[in-house]
Amino acid sequence: MSSPDEPENPQIRNPKSEIRNRVGFGYDVHRLVGGRPLILGGIEVPFDKGLEGHSDADVLLHALIDAILGAAGMGDIGTHFPSYDPTLKGISSLDMLSRVMVMVREAGWGVGNVDGTIVAQQPRLSPHTPRMKETIAKALGIEPERVNVKSKTTDGLGFTGTGEGMAAYCAVMLVR
């Protein structure tokens, strides 16, 4: 706290009212298994395996949800959607994203932009990323130009390269 003869620091005067942008980062990983559909970015991608999880295991949307929650200072996906909750078994990640967006909007935030990366050796995902981008933009209530989705391989290295699983990273900018 400043004394009466010291000038007040404008950067800490009223941080809640002055912060207009916040950045969040999310990461997620799921194992690939037989007998499940592959859901990525809110769409079904044709493949002989799907991602294992309590929900639909959409690794990209899970990373996005964590990025949004992180930027808003609201914890993480496991806090709001715990895997031990039987009522959430098989829940759509698009539904989880919708619920998170209600909380974030109530706190005065909106999504400025999204940049997501899916890491997978197979299947080839680039033909599907435009539809993922459209689906995510619609779920967030923003223009598709503010959403970027890309896919990368690891050239056969690590669990993603051997086909054991997939990972996703996501950055998001929230704006007041």
Side-chain angles (χ1 to χ4, degrees):
M1 185 159 178
S2 62
S3 67
D5 55 330
E6 289 180 48
E8 194 172 300
N9 182 342
Q11 293 179 347
I12 59 172
R13 182 178 57 236
N14 190 350
K16 187 172 183 175
S17 67
E18 295 196 19
I19 295 174
R20 297 284 175 227
N21 299 301
R22 292 183 72 176
V23 175
F25 177 77
Y27 167 76
D28 196 36
V29 61
H30 285 275
R31 180 183 313 276
L32 278 164
V33 296
R36 285 184 58 112
L38 178 58
I39 309 295
L40 292 170
I43 68 167
E44 187 169 342
V45 175
F47 194 52
D48 62 343
K49 295 179 181 177
L51 294 167
E52 183 178 55
H54 188 68
S55 67
D56 65 8
D58 186 329
V59 71
L60 179 59
L61 290 190
H62 290 189
L64 173 58
I65 290 167
D66 263 350
I68 292 169
L69 289 169
M74 295 180 170
D76 64 14
I77 194 169
T79 301
H80 298 278
F81 306 99
S83 59
Y84 58 78
D85 184 343
T87 66
L88 298 173
K89 180 75 175 156
I91 188 172
S92 161
S93 296
L94 280 171
D95 185 27
M96 292 192 299
L97 180 58
S98 176
R99 294 181 193 190
V100 165
M101 287 308 298
V102 168
M103 294 185 308
V104 168
R105 285 187 188 109
E106 286 175 355
W109 295 104
V111 174
N113 73 298
V114 170
D115 185 27
T117 304
I118 305 166
V119 183
Q121 198 66 35
Q122 290 182 6
R124 188 165 182 265
L125 296 174
S126 58
H128 306 284
T129 56
R131 222 169 94 225
M132 292 178 200
K133 178 179 170 171
E134 293 282 336
T135 301
I136 292 167
K138 184 176 179 182
L140 296 175
I142 61 176
E143 302 82 10
E145 301 80 44
R146 293 164 51 189
V147 176
N148 189 53
V149 176
K150 53 200 176 295
S151 58
K152 302 290 180 193
T153 70
T154 57
D155 294 327
L157 299 173
F159 72 92
T160 58
T162 62
E164 292 176 68
M166 292 184 179
Y169 300 86
C170 199
V172 66
M173 172 75 73
L174 293 187
V175 295
R176 281 226 187 259

